[in-house]
Amino acid sequence: MFGPENKQEWSVVKTGLRMLKHMFLTILVVSSAYILSMIASVPRSNFPDIYVAEARGHIYLRLVAQIGNTTFSPTNTTQIRLQETPPIALSNTSQYQPLLASTESTNKSVIEYRQQTTACSGISNIAFIKTHKTGSSTLRSIINRYGLARNTSFVYLKESKNGHIRYSRLSNSLRKKFLPPIGGTSNIGRRYNMSTVHIRFSREFFDTFMTPETKYITIIREPVEHWLSVISYFNFKRYAPEDVRKKSFEDIAAYLAINAETVQKKTRGSNINFFRNNQAFDLGLSHENCRDPSKVENYVKYLEGQFELVLINEYFDESLVLLRRAFCWSWSDVLYISRNVQSRTHSLKNETIRGLIRQNSMADQTLYDYFNKTLWRKISEYGPEFQSDLTYFRNLLEQVKDDCNVHVVKKLGKVFYQLNKDRSTLCRELLANDQINRIMHRQKSPPKKIAPGKTLVQLPIDRNEPIVSGPREPRAIRDARVACDNDPTCKKIDFSLQPDGRIKIITYRTRRNL
């Protein structure tokens, strides 16, 4: 039989193989270093697209460069360990930073990749003005998920199943009906971190209860498609004659658009706010001012100064890429599965009627045109890596759907997404239907009561400042403070003086963040 016939010969063969392996690795490392040094010597302007993407526990550096007349574009993405390399300047304006490469196997679900480490800290004080029929339920679920994971306090109405405030009169009496913030008994003061409910925008009113550093965002939709969704969802065909109601949806929409003034007078209750210029109304513009082009234009410009970002429904993924950067979130923070989608899609092909709808919704059209241009201006300012980030994000969404094994179920005129039972925590969170209940239960729970004679010591959340002990503080308490300050898992200490004079100390710890 061919091969070594004794152990000594096998040992020689193994030694030779190991030497070949080491030689191969040495050549690979030297050649990689040489290639990188060649790339580093090329001017930055020759790299139109260079970005860092995170996926499956690894960091990939993708380079596309035009070097002279030779195009450098690796057929396979090159994986580079970055532990010992200095930060790479991706562009003059980019906020991206290279991440540490992982040594874990790539044979992992995409939902298990490591979180991005950035120089900035994620924004968690957000007022999302939830507009109607604009894809806002999906965006709300994203923000709710982020806030639940970070123990933030939400603005929710006490006596509401879903917390919505809708078109209630904005006043101090309304604010008293809010659920108290976490661990509090009073809802007075600017202590709320997030708002994701339906409520009309009024910066003056929001400033009475939101934290001072709050960022404002909202989402809008193309006015014709928005109006068609509104009249279908809120059943506006009931305001049409009986013979019209029996016709197709396009005929019903044409009747409502042509007879908009008559239909508006017939509407009752909150429906009067939905029929025309509903998006502008949700954002604080009165119905009277919606008819004045100059007032509409001035108000839209005012809104631009109030909102960090206005997302566009038709460019939802593009908007989320911008949101992620503006709020310094990770890719996992902006993952989503659509919510509250109607199973029936209604179309209107008659351009004359579509033009009439735009005319009836003049304020909404002005609003949409302005912020649609603003969105694309922000995309241009984002830099050349935007398209690469967008492609990566969409691929990530598809991978998550595959990993979560999501399937579509149509029921009661809506589209629902379900997944198998044995799915990861992230998959369950993406489709969680109990977000609202968890938020309300958490803020309805009474705060922990401290018995007479006890003192609660709350440590700094950011843990950047050392604990300063008082000169007369008992040694046991001082030692507990110092020990807690030096322990990253220690959240707070609670102590009390017992009847026999001894001090009882309880240390609360949280799971260490890896």
Side-chain angles (χ1 to χ4, degrees), residues 232-490:
S232 172
Y233 185 83
F234 293 105
N235 193 27
F236 270 89
K237 72 177 183 180
R238 67 181 182 271
Y239 297 112
E242 186 175 355
D243 60 326
V244 176
R245 278 180 260 164
K246 298 178 182 179
K247 296 182 179 180
S248 66
F249 176 81
E250 191 164 352
D251 290 334
I252 295 172
Y255 173 86
L256 294 174
I258 294 171
N259 301 277
E261 292 291 343
T262 304
V263 173
Q264 180 100 27
K265 293 177 182 178
K266 290 182 179 180
T267 55
R268 295 289 183 272
S270 60
N271 282 342
I272 195 173
N273 300 318
F274 294 124
F275 189 62
R276 297 173 70 176
N277 297 306
N278 174 248
Q279 298 178 88
F281 183 77
D282 280 347
L283 295 179
L285 191 62
S286 66
H287 289 304
E288 294 76 14
N289 290 339
C290 282
R291 297 174 180 268
D292 189 329
S294 62
K295 291 183 178 179
V296 170
E297 185 175 352
N298 291 335
Y299 191 76
V300 169
K301 291 179 180 179
Y302 161 77
L303 290 177
E304 183 182 22
Q306 300 298 314
F307 285 87
E308 186 76 14
L309 180 65
V310 176
L311 291 82
I312 302 294
N313 172 278
E314 287 73 22
Y315 307 105
F316 192 65
D317 291 347
E318 290 87 344
S319 299
L320 287 179
V321 172
L322 293 177
L323 178 71
R324 172 188 170 271
R325 170 177 281 194
F327 286 178
C328 198
W329 287 6
S330 69
W331 288 112
S332 63
D333 293 329
V334 292
L335 292 175
Y336 71 92
I337 295 175
S338 299
R339 302 291 186 102
N340 200 24
V341 180
Q342 297 186 56
S343 60
R344 296 179 181 179
T345 56
H346 301 291
S347 61
L348 181 63
K349 299 179 180 179
N350 190 317
E351 287 299 327
T352 302
I353 300 301
R354 292 180 72 90
L356 184 57
I357 295 171
R358 294 189 185 97
Q359 182 180 339
N360 293 336
S361 304
M362 180 271 295
D364 276 3
Q365 189 65 52
T366 303
L367 181 77
Y368 182 83
D369 290 343
Y370 188 90
F371 283 108
N372 188 29
K373 293 178 181 177
T374 302
L375 178 80
W376 290 102
R377 187 187 75 239
K378 289 180 180 290
I379 289 175
S380 177
E381 295 171 351
Y382 189 101
E385 65 266 27
F386 178 83
Q387 191 59 46
S388 302
D389 282 0
L390 178 62
T391 301
Y392 170 73
F393 179 49
R394 285 175 171 166
N395 291 338
L396 188 61
L397 290 173
E398 291 302 318
Q399 184 64 47
V400 167
K401 287 182 181 180
D402 291 341
D403 288 348
C404 295
N405 196 15
V406 176
H407 56 278
V408 178
V409 177
K410 295 183 178 180
K411 184 178 180 181
L412 301 176
K414 292 185 179 181
V415 176
F416 297 91
Y417 296 91
Q418 295 181 355
L419 47 81
N420 290 342
K421 293 182 179 179
D422 299 330
R423 294 291 96 187
S424 70
T425 302
L426 178 58
C427 289
R428 293 194 296 270
E429 282 296 326
L430 288 174
L431 282 174
N433 294 319
D434 63 341
Q435 287 181 340
I436 297 172
N437 291 336
R438 284 154 59 191
I439 290 171
M440 299 185 76
H441 174 75
R442 190 175 59 177
Q443 292 184 215
K444 284 180 179 179
S445 301
K448 179 183 177 182
K449 295 182 179 180
I450 301 176
K454 285 191 175 183
T455 305
L456 183 65
V457 180
Q458 185 68 48
L459 300 182
I461 296 176
D462 57 9
R463 308 190 61 84
N464 289 330
E465 299 179 0
I467 299 176
V468 180
S469 304
R472 298 182 180 179
E473 190 173 46
R475 181 175 178 178
I477 297 177
R478 183 175 67 252
D479 292 344
R481 286 177 183 273
V482 174
C484 190
D485 186 44
N486 294 328
D487 183 1
T489 66
C490 181

Side-chain angles (χ1 to χ4, degrees), residues 18 178-179 184 204 230 269 327 359 469:
R18 281 197 297 269
F178 293 171
L179 284 173
E204 182 180 0
V230 164
F327 286 178
Q359 182 180 339
S469 304

